Amino acid sequence: MTMVKRRTLLFTKTIITMARSGETFGKKEKEKKRAKDKQEKAEKMQERKANAKKGKSLDEMMAYLDENGNLSSSPPDPRKKKTFKSEEMQIGVPKHEDVEEEAVRTGVVSFFNDAKGFGFIKDKQTGESVFVHVNQLTERITENDKVNFEVEMGHKGPSAINVKKIV
């Protein structure tokens, strides 16, 4: 029995002595990469210092715009200079001009509710639905009647006024 115990002790000692070092392969590789990057950075800095010109002149630093608005290193030709009158220049978006539409339009009544007193007219010209109220009728209308009407902008959109049935 003593021999078996000795062998186990020797075996455990061997395992203990074969333990890994504190640095792993990944740590060593990262450290090598950092050192390499640091060396490259120092070399680039030395190269910039060697190639740097002391005291660049103003002419070397100037950039010009040519007649097309592109950058160039030479000044523009004064003969190609264009002049503009400030009165003719328009800055911003032009004002919206109201286009007069036909005063009287034609359409077909697509829906009308007598009980509630409103409906909609499908405009033949634009194809949009226009709201109509019973107070704007000159005579009684029903669905699918052809009508003439004028359009007025109401609180919630276009409304038909002066609605007349076409015979």
Side-chain angles (χ1 to χ4, degrees):
M1 282 245 208
T2 51
M3 235 182 192
V4 175
K5 285 184 182 178
R6 282 186 187 168
R7 284 185 187 168
T8 13
L9 278 175
L10 289 175
F11 184 68
T12 32
K13 283 184 181 178
T14 330
I15 291 174
I16 292 170
T17 55
M18 294 179 63
R20 294 183 180 178
S21 65
E23 288 190 32
T24 62
F25 179 74
K27 285 183 184 177
K28 287 180 185 178
E29 288 298 313
K30 286 180 184 177
E31 190 59 39
K32 285 180 187 177
K33 188 175 184 308
R34 278 192 213 115
K36 182 181 172 187
D37 289 345
K38 190 175 182 181
Q39 179 64 31
E40 287 176 0
K41 187 176 179 181
E43 288 173 4
K44 287 180 183 177
M45 186 175 72
Q46 290 295 330
E47 186 178 325
R48 279 195 304 270
K49 283 184 180 179
N51 293 337
K53 293 182 181 178
K54 302 278 183 191
K56 285 186 178 180
S57 68
L58 181 62
D59 291 332
E60 290 175 1
M61 293 189 288
M62 289 293 274
Y64 300 97
L65 287 175
D66 64 3
E67 63 274 0
N68 298 321
N70 299 319
L71 289 175
S72 71
S73 58
S74 60
D77 187 6
R79 292 174 288 168
K80 295 182 179 179
K81 183 178 179 181
K82 297 177 186 175
T83 56
F84 298 97
K85 294 181 181 177
S86 61
E87 299 85 31
E88 295 175 357
M89 296 177 75
Q90 184 176 8
I91 299 173
V93 180
K95 291 183 179 179
H96 178 70
E97 295 179 11
D98 291 333
V99 179
E100 289 206 23
E101 300 175 5
E102 283 186 30
V104 178
R105 295 184 181 185
T106 58
V108 177
V109 179
S110 60
F111 170 79
F112 193 78
N113 187 339
D114 284 325
K116 294 187 178 182
F118 74 94
F120 293 95
I121 300 171
K122 181 93 170 184
D123 188 358
K124 282 189 177 179
Q125 192 177 23
T126 61
E128 63 183 20
S129 289
V130 181
F131 176 80
V132 61
H133 193 268
V134 73
N135 294 340
Q136 300 299 329
L137 301 176
T138 56
E139 55 190 278
R140 185 177 149 87
I141 60 171
T142 58
E143 289 183 19
N144 298 322
D145 283 345
K146 292 183 181 181
V147 291
N148 283 337
F149 62 97
E150 295 176 21
V151 177
E152 173 183 81
M153 284 307 289
H155 296 290
K156 296 183 179 179
S159 296
I161 58 171
N162 300 329
V163 181
K164 297 175 187 166
K165 189 189 282 188
I166 301 174
V167 182

